[in-house]
């Protein structure tokens, strides 16, 4: 019985030392040689860089047969997707658009009260920079085949972003 207690104390000490070493290791050592670190983001292969987030905007269009809701969702890997309620279940990767940011941590939507109108998609990247796309709405729901044309030049950086 005494041998078992001694072994348990020894394992406890070794586990504590390993944990302490792991917590104190500099990030460069943690990345290791051959790391896939991208200098423009803190995303390392397999690690999370974004945050789960959902935003929605519902225009008060009077000339649509059904209510319209636009949604943007982000995942823990920092990707963002848009959904048009008229195209149920279809989530379009916003990475299709020109200048799309990566490592998204927050999103916002707004839409003008006209048909056709403008859907404003604002994404906050992990580095604190806001990116905005302006997409023309119409009687045709957004789909992967028409989103690029609807959003023209894609995303642009909002100057003087206060979140850094």
């Amino acid at each position: 019985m005494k041998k078992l207690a001694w072994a348990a104390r020894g394992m406890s000490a070794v586990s504590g030392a390993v944990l302490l070493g792991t917590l104190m290791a500099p990030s460069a050592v943690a990345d290791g040689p051959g790391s896939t670190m991208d200098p423009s983001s803190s995303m390392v292969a397999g690690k999370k860089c974004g945050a789960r987030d959902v935003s929605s905007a519902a225009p008060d269009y009077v000339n649509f047969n059904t209510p319209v809701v636009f949604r943007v969702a982000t995942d823990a890997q920092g990707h963002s997707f848009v959904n048009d309620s008229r195209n149920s279940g279809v989530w379009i990767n916003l990475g299709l658009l020109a200048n799309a940011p990566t490592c998204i941590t927050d999103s916002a939507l707004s839409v003008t009260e006209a048909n056709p109108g403008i859907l404003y998609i604002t994404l906050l990247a992990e580095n604190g920079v806001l990116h905005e796309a302006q997409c023309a709405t119409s009687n045709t729901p957004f789909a992967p085949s028409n989103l690029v044309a609807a959003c023209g030049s894609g995303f642009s950086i909002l100057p003087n972003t206060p979140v850094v």
Side-chain angles (χ1 to χ4, degrees), residues 96-99 133-136 142 146-155:
L96 292 172
L97 300 180
N99 308 311
Q134 297 179 17
C135 306
F142 288 129
N146 66 12
L147 186 69
V148 173
C151 298
S153 60
F155 284 93

Side-chain angles (χ1 to χ4, degrees):
M1 193 66 144
K2 287 184 179 186
K3 287 183 181 179
L4 237 46
W6 178 82
R9 278 194 309 260
M11 286 301 285
S12 177
V14 169
S15 298
V18 169
L19 178 60
L20 181 61
T22 301
L23 294 175
M24 293 181 64
S27 60
V29 173
D31 290 344
S35 169
T36 57
M37 179 70 88
D38 177 357
S40 65
S41 77
S42 64
M43 173 103 172
V44 176
K47 291 189 178 180
K48 297 177 181 180
C49 73
R52 293 181 185 171
D53 183 59
V54 177
S55 300
S56 63
D60 192 14
Y61 296 151
V62 293
N63 56 340
F64 281 144
N65 295 335
T66 59
V68 177
V69 178
F70 299 108
R71 296 176 185 89
V72 168
T74 61
D75 64 15
Q77 287 73 40
H79 306 114
S80 55
F81 306 88
V82 67
N83 169 259
D84 183 328
S85 64
R86 299 170 293 170
N87 202 352
S88 181
V90 176
W91 289 87
I92 308 161
N93 187 340
L94 289 172
L96 292 172
L97 300 180
N99 308 311
T102 57
C103 290
I104 306 306
T105 59
D106 202 1
S107 66
L109 285 178
S110 63
V111 63
T112 59
E113 298 294 329
N115 183 23
I118 302 291
L119 174 68
Y120 295 89
I121 303 172
T122 306
L123 302 175
L124 175 64
E126 185 182 48
N127 63 1
V129 176
L130 288 169
H131 300 258
E132 183 179 81
Q134 297 179 17
C135 306
T137 63
S138 69
N139 289 329
T140 305
F142 288 129
S145 60
N146 66 12
L147 186 69
V148 173
C151 298
S153 60
F155 284 93
S156 60
I157 294 175
L158 292 177
N160 303 316
T161 301
V163 185
V164 181

